[in-house]
Amino acid sequence: MDGLRVLITRQQIAAKVSEMGARITADFAGEPVVLIGVLKGSTIFLADLARQIQLDASFDFIAVSSYGNAKQHSGEVRLVKDVDHSLEGKNVILVEDILDTGLTLGYIKSLFQAHQPKSIKIAALLDKVSRRTEPIEADYVGFAIPDEFVVGYGLDFAERYRNLPDVCILEACSDGA
Ligand code: IMP
Ligand code: MG
């Protein structure tokens, strides 16, 4: 498609997601886990990752909205949809498409700590390391990427491109910020 350049191919994603699933399977050694997807960007990653985890796993989803336009974070995060079930005593794995400034996951993680889970980990497919403003890191990271706006494999620009099988740089809309 015009204005799109493939950054990470579907084959690279599949291999990495499989590695991440194997690590999670080994780390939790037979214990049950709750995968919590952050809507909507994480859905495709969560669907693939879950099938690479050989543990008793359940799903839940939350939705947050960050004020600001599609590309620029305002710094304020609001919970739009909470989990359906209690997380008390559970092994929680927050599943997110991309860790950028860290505001979203920082907010969610501190919110969930109040639920007193047994453990709380973060799995992020992508990590824009140079953009981080919050002291937060993912426990499981797929790929560290440069400061480019990416779409595909769940990631959107104005709700478009989520269904692309590869992670692509959206060049046409680069705002140079
Ligand atoms: P953070 O709160 O700044 O870490 O932003 C994380 C959220 O911003 C992600 O869940 C995405 O929804 C969105 N985001 C950040 N970078 C990109 C990108 O390059 N493409 C698409 N969405 C992005
Ligand atoms: Mg998101």
Side-chain angles (χ1 to χ4, degrees):
M1 243 182 278
D2 274 2
L4 294 172
R5 181 160 57 86
V6 174
L7 178 67
I8 308 169
T9 66
R10 62 200 78 182
Q11 292 85 0
Q12 290 172 310
I13 296 169
K16 186 64 77 176
V17 170
S18 160
E19 259 173 48
M20 294 172 86
R23 273 191 55 208
I24 291 170
T25 303
D27 287 358
F28 286 90
E31 288 194 34
V33 294
V34 185
L35 304 177
I36 301 186
V38 184
L39 293 170
K40 306 167 194 164
S42 71
T43 51
I44 293 179
F45 175 44
L46 187 145
D48 283 347
L49 181 65
R51 284 176 288 179
Q52 301 298 328
I53 295 175
Q54 267 85 59
L55 298 169
D56 175 355
S58 57
F59 297 176
D60 213 330
F61 292 93
I62 57 164
V64 293
S65 99
S66 30
Y67 297 99
N69 63 39
K71 283 190 176 180
Q72 215 57 49
H73 213 296
S74 69
E76 238 183 295
V77 183
R78 188 167 55 100
L79 190 68
V80 174
K81 184 216 169 294
D82 205 344
V83 286
D84 294 334
H85 301 284
S86 166
L87 302 176
E88 196 180 334
K90 303 278 173 64
N91 291 309
V92 170
I93 303 177
L94 274 169
V95 181
E96 181 56 312
D97 50 4
I98 186 165
L99 189 49
D100 186 31
T101 62
L103 280 161
T104 306
L105 281 173
Y107 167 80
I108 297 167
K109 194 174 178 183
S110 58
L111 198 72
F112 283 1
Q113 254 141 9
H115 291 236
Q116 298 184 296
K118 179 174 182 188
S119 64
I120 180 160
K121 301 284 181 195
I122 294 175
L125 179 74
L126 306 174
D127 188 356
K128 269 189 204 173
V129 185
S130 68
R131 293 260 307 161
R132 194 85 80 258
T133 60
E134 306 305 302
I136 188 151
E137 295 305 327
D139 302 279
Y140 306 97
V141 179
F143 304 90
I145 63 165
D147 183 11
E148 301 272 11
F149 197 83
V150 291
V151 295
Y153 198 71
L155 291 130
D156 75 308
F157 176 65
E159 298 300 329
R160 294 181 62 199
Y161 309 111
R162 292 194 196 275
N163 59 324
L164 299 177
D166 310 301
V167 170
C168 302
I169 294 175
L170 187 59
E171 293 179 312
C173 294
S174 174
D175 61 5

